[in-house]
Every structure is written in structure tokens, then in C-alpha cells.
Amino acid sequence: MYDQPRPDRPTPAMMFDQMLERVRYEGAYPTRERAEEAVRTVLAALGRQVTGDERVDLAQCLPVEAALTLTAQIPDTEQLTGWGFVKDLAARTGVSPAIARWDTGAVLATVTALAGPDLLARVLQRLPDDYALLFGQAQLRQPQRAAA
């Protein structure tokens, strides 16, 4: 079953064109088309990782075009680490890991702003620890207890 945006979704905080312009600015992309390519590939990759209510709620925060890209993906059965996410994105798009990381940062910075802190915290709880850095957030770890 695909998680699709709910029909009673609120109006997103920005339109798709505005999202592309923000990603274009964040990523210093030379064209709108390059920013759109980054948005579509990163959101598709994220759609393969995020599941459950967080996936649906995240889609509701995005412009319709972006939400459809996110939710059109079937979630992977195995979750990737943050670095694995970047390497997978690089392999699927045929770019270097450095470019894939740059694209990820530009897109997820905008997603972070749209999602807000509460939803972002919920999304990050569902993902491996090292995803926080991809979203431009501090990586906070719980202290490990020593074995008795």
C-alpha cells in the first residue's frame, strides 16, 4: 500500500516553484531545472526510507508535486545509514558521493523548514542516528551506560 497525501491536507507553506527557488538558493544551483532534479531525486530517495505516519505527515507539509515524489516510492525493507543514503543516491543518479551529499543538504534544508521541529524530530526518530546531519541538525546521542 502506498502512503498518499491525505485529501484533507492543509495548504502547504509554499508552492512548488517557491520550493525550487529555495533549493536553488540553498544549493547554489545555476538553473531551476538543476534544483528540480535535486528535489526529485532526494525526495524519491527519502521516500524509500521514511515510513508510517511520519511519511504521511511529511508529505502533507510539502507542495503537492514534492509530496507525490516522496510518496510514490515503495519503502525499502532495509534502512540505510545516512552515509548509505548518500551512496545509494550517488549510485542511482550517476554522480559522485560529494555531489549527492550536496544535493541532499540543499533539499533537506528546505524540507526541514517546511516540516518544523516537531515533525522533524519524529522523522529523525524513525531513521538511523546519522540522518540528523543530512537535515542540517546537530547529532545528539544518548549517553551509553557502562555494563555492570
Side-chain angles (χ1 to χ4, degrees):
M1 180 162 114
Y2 296 100
D3 291 333
Q4 294 294 323
R6 296 178 182 147
D8 61 340
R9 70 194 300 265
T11 304
M14 68 174 60
M15 301 303 291
F16 190 60
D17 288 340
Q18 294 170 312
M19 181 181 188
L20 293 180
E21 284 306 314
R22 181 146 181 189
V23 170
R24 183 177 177 191
Y25 175 80
E26 291 286 339
Y29 297 117
T31 65
R32 183 179 179 276
E33 291 74 22
R34 178 63 185 96
E36 184 171 357
E37 178 185 337
V39 166
R40 293 196 186 278
T41 58
V42 171
L43 288 180
L46 186 62
R48 291 188 291 274
Q49 298 299 308
V50 178
T51 60
D53 289 340
E54 289 73 22
R55 176 184 170 104
V56 174
D57 293 345
L58 185 58
Q60 287 182 335
C61 295
L62 300 174
V64 173
E65 299 88 336
L68 291 174
T69 299
L70 178 84
T71 59
Q73 304 304 307
I74 298 171
D76 286 343
T77 56
E78 184 177 328
Q79 254 187 348
L80 299 173
T81 65
W83 177 236
F85 178 89
V86 171
K87 289 191 313 186
D88 181 64
L89 184 61
R92 287 176 186 264
T93 58
V95 300
S96 71
I99 292 173
R101 175 61 181 95
W102 184 269
D103 290 349
T104 299
V107 174
L108 295 185
T110 302
V111 169
T112 296
L114 290 170
D118 294 338
L119 177 55
L120 182 62
R122 288 178 33 223
V123 168
L124 290 174
Q125 283 178 338
R126 283 200 166 261
L127 296 169
D129 287 342
D130 52 350
Y131 272 83
L133 296 173
L134 297 178
F135 282 89
Q137 303 296 303
Q139 181 63 54
L140 303 176
R141 293 185 171 259
Q142 297 294 330
Q144 298 289 328
R145 290 190 168 166

